[in-house]
Amino acid sequence: MKNIKHWLFDFDGTLVDSMPHWAHAMVGVLDDHGIPHGDDIVKIITPLGTKGTIKHFISLGLDLPLEEIKSEIFARLVPLYRDVIVDKPHVAACLRAMKAAGLHLHILTASPHEYLDPCLKRIGLFDLFDNVWSSDDFGTGKTDPAIYAAAAERIGVSVSEVAFLDDNIHADRTAMLAGMRVIGVYDDTSADSEEEMRASLDGYVKDFSELGAFLGCL
């Protein structure tokens, strides 16, 4: 893993402490319309992207036009990403050290650019990345192995030459299936997946101080 030059990061729950805000907003859309959902709703929709989440909401019985659902989601989330959400502990220092060490950093997230980019710019991380991708840029979600192959192709390397980090076990499994090296990341919202991540992935970190120590750049 230490020889890997290209590092592909999830955003929500991995780089920024957004999952409680994001989950509350997403579930709130369903609750506002009285749509029942299971306790695992957040885990299900996390890797789907905006379009995939909207389709899932419709499958649960949310009978509204696509654009209206999107508007409700954005009305809740855009102000939070623009003004409130911050990076997780040690993320900024680790990423800057990785960049200084000559590593190439990229983002692949289900979040759309409408709130991904403003958040990254406000917290001062945007310019550290060679590529900032939303799953919308690929026309598919992070539960599709093709998205990881496509990301590696755009970078210009083989899938096995990219390390992927995510707090969501579904995305981690899919990236591993696609052939990437995968490190799970702890988040409060996915704490119950820690044991599985440790057992099935290439690595696991509680926070980015552990990643920096592993790579020898912090």
Side-chain angles (χ1 to χ4, degrees), residues 75-129:
R76 288 172 172 270
L77 288 177
V78 167
L80 294 172
Y81 282 86
R82 185 188 62 218
D83 303 323
V84 177
I85 289 167
V86 297
D87 45 312
K88 296 177 77 172
H90 311 294
V91 163
C94 182
L95 293 179
R96 291 190 178 107
M98 292 175 73
K99 187 77 171 180
L103 301 179
H104 296 276
L105 313 180
H106 316 269
I107 285 179
L108 176 61
T109 175
S111 290
H113 287 288
E114 285 88 344
Y115 46 82
L116 165 65
D117 295 4
C119 185
L120 280 171
K121 290 174 182 178
R122 174 175 55 81
I123 62 180
L125 300 182
F126 187 87
D127 291 337
L128 295 176
F129 295 95

Side-chain angles (χ1 to χ4, degrees), residues 16-97:
V16 295
D17 191 16
S18 59
M19 286 306 296
H21 299 287
W22 185 88
H24 180 75
M26 287 298 202
V27 174
V29 172
L30 294 177
D31 291 343
D32 282 352
H33 295 279
I35 305 299
H37 52 80
D39 293 339
D40 59 348
I41 183 65
V42 173
K43 287 185 181 179
I44 291 172
I45 65 175
T46 295
L48 296 184
T50 304
K51 292 179 182 178
T53 296
I54 290 172
K55 289 179 180 178
H56 187 69
F57 282 3
I58 291 173
S59 75
L60 293 176
L62 184 55
D63 188 17
L64 292 173
L66 293 175
E67 285 302 315
E68 188 171 336
I69 300 173
K70 180 179 178 180
S71 294
E72 288 196 24
I73 291 172
F74 276 33
R76 288 172 172 270
L77 288 177
V78 167
L80 294 172
Y81 282 86
R82 185 188 62 218
D83 303 323
V84 177
I85 289 167
V86 297
D87 45 312
K88 296 177 77 172
H90 311 294
V91 163
C94 182
L95 293 179
R96 291 190 178 107

